[in-house]
Amino acid sequence: MAGAAARKMDMDKAPPRASRLQADLAARILRMLKDQGAGPGHHLVELDLCRHFDVSRTPVRGALKLLAEQGAVEARANRGYVLRGPVTEAPDLDVTNPEDEEDQRLFIAIAEARNQGRMPDQCSQLEVARLFDAKLPTVVRVLRQLAELGLVERKPGNGWSFTLPINSGRARAESYAYRAVIEPAGLLEETFELDREWLDRIRAEHLAFRKRKWRDTLAVELFAINADFHEGIARCSGNRYFLDAVQRQNKLRSFMNIQWVNGAERVIDSIDEHLEIMDAMEAGDNQKAHDLMKAHLVLARDVEATV
């Protein structure tokens, strides 16, 4: 059971009761663990997996149970699941789920409509469905995702109220100017303490995402990874007000970032810039990380201004 064959995710041999989402998620978890170089005894934290793959706990638990049946992980009393051995083989394919793709297309369409002022601040689920020619179950799922991000609020009945996005050139420039002051400064706080477990996880997510072939629907996942990176650094600062400022900016910029218009090349460049900042932090050179962060934000502003 400790051999590679016992740890390999064989999609064709998945138990019939496993859903497509669970099987796809199990394959992605294996790929992530392989990229991380995780070893025997590595603890799989449900909440971290939910955040990384942007799913609820139900499919995560199903995927972990499936991996246990495959022999890759083992359930431990009061500890959840742990890895049985190093993952030497994992699916290379970028497996897509039709339902997820449908949700992400609507997510991006809503972001574009809000950015361009083509969508009212308040609307019902049926109005959203008609506006985007979308299925009602898809609309409900996406609105719930937006609510979790704090971008919409549920009103009495079936109405929803949207937050105001940053959707003008001047507002975007002011946002970057603000961030270029706040975010680098957090790296120089005396209370800064690097969370190495978070760093290992976020680096693995960046490296795994970098290998994927870009498609527009990946913008939703890119936003989640980007937000986690910037918020994580602010959290390490030990200053609650730095963290609050970054979280507010991420919320205000959400629709703009999800409607990614900067091209696939900028995706790779941005990830590489993040990785450089991570390397500097890991080396304990926070002054270098400060300078890299400032340069990263200035470059992002300049690229965005030309689009």
Side-chain angles (χ1 to χ4, degrees):
M1 295 295 288
R7 294 186 294 273
K8 184 178 180 181
M9 183 65 221
D10 187 342
M11 304 299 290
D12 293 331
K13 296 180 181 179
R17 63 180 175 276
S19 70
R20 171 66 185 273
L21 174 59
Q22 291 170 349
D24 289 351
L25 187 55
R28 291 192 185 283
I29 290 172
L30 275 188
R31 167 54 56 190
M32 180 190 72
L33 293 171
K34 183 175 185 297
D35 291 337
Q36 289 178 344
H42 177 86
H43 184 209
L44 294 161
V45 181
E46 281 187 7
L47 186 57
D48 286 346
L49 294 172
C50 291
R51 289 173 177 167
H52 177 64
F53 296 104
D54 193 24
V55 294
S56 68
R57 289 195 173 190
T58 299
V60 166
R61 287 170 179 166
L64 290 173
K65 184 177 180 181
L66 179 57
L67 287 174
E69 292 171 351
Q70 294 288 328
V73 302
E74 180 180 0
R76 297 279 180 87
N78 302 320
R79 285 200 62 199
Y81 290 88
V82 296
L83 189 62
R84 298 191 65 181
V87 181
T88 58
E89 297 182 45
D92 289 320
L93 296 177
D94 185 10
V95 182
T96 61
N97 181 282
E99 185 176 281
D100 290 344
E101 289 288 297
E102 186 176 5
D103 290 356
Q104 289 167 355
R105 279 193 292 270
L106 178 58
F107 205 125
I108 294 169
I110 290 174
E112 182 178 1
R114 289 290 295 159
N115 288 337
Q116 297 176 357
R118 294 187 288 103
M119 192 173 184
D121 294 339
Q122 298 183 15
C123 57
S124 68
Q125 293 170 180
L126 288 175
E127 288 171 335
V128 175
R130 285 196 294 267
L131 182 61
F132 298 100
D133 191 24
K135 300 174 184 176
L136 191 56
T138 304
V139 170
V140 172
R141 287 194 303 269
V142 171
L143 287 173
R144 286 174 178 169
Q145 291 178 48
L146 292 170
E148 290 174 1
L149 292 172
L151 300 177
V152 297
E153 292 182 357
R154 187 73 179 261
K155 296 172 64 66
N158 64 347
W160 296 80
S161 177
F162 285 83
T163 58
L164 295 176
I166 294 178
N167 57 6
S168 73
R170 179 174 178 178
R172 289 195 292 270
E174 290 175 353
S175 171
Y176 274 118
Y178 176 69
R179 294 177 64 201
V181 172
I182 296 297
E183 295 195 39
L187 285 153
L188 300 182
E189 284 288 284
E190 292 182 359
T191 53
F192 186 94
E193 183 176 351
L194 183 61
D195 182 343
R196 293 190 177 275
E197 184 176 346
W198 164 80
L199 181 67
D200 290 343
R201 176 178 62 79
I202 197 69
R203 177 186 278 122
E205 290 177 5
H206 276 67
L207 291 172
F209 194 88
R210 195 183 190 284
K211 295 177 181 178
R212 300 172 71 178
K213 184 177 180 180
W214 177 256
R215 59 182 186 275
D216 290 343
T217 50
L218 287 180
V220 178
E221 189 173 337
L222 176 63
F223 165 72
I225 293 173
N226 184 71
D228 190 0
F229 171 75
H230 287 279
E231 287 185 22
I233 292 177
R235 187 172 289 107
C236 289
S237 75
N239 187 314
R240 72 192 70 183
Y241 298 107
F242 280 100
L243 176 58
D244 181 69
V246 173
Q247 289 175 330
R248 286 176 181 273
Q249 281 297 301
N250 277 339
K251 180 178 176 180
L252 290 170
R253 295 173 53 83
S254 296
F255 280 135
M256 181 178 62
N257 288 356
I258 289 169
Q259 186 199 357
W260 187 260
V261 294
N262 300 322
E265 185 176 345
R266 180 57 196 159
V267 173
I268 299 299
D269 289 345
S270 182
I271 288 175
D272 289 345
E273 290 160 21
H274 283 189
L275 290 169
E276 282 189 274
I277 295 169
M278 293 181 215
D279 290 342
M281 290 191 297
E282 187 172 40
D285 192 345
N286 277 32
Q287 181 60 58
K288 181 178 180 181
H290 166 281
D291 296 343
L292 288 169
M293 176 65 81
K294 195 172 187 70
H296 167 64
L297 292 170
V298 170
L299 180 56
R301 177 202 65 192
D302 293 345
V303 169
E304 202 168 282
T306 63
V307 176

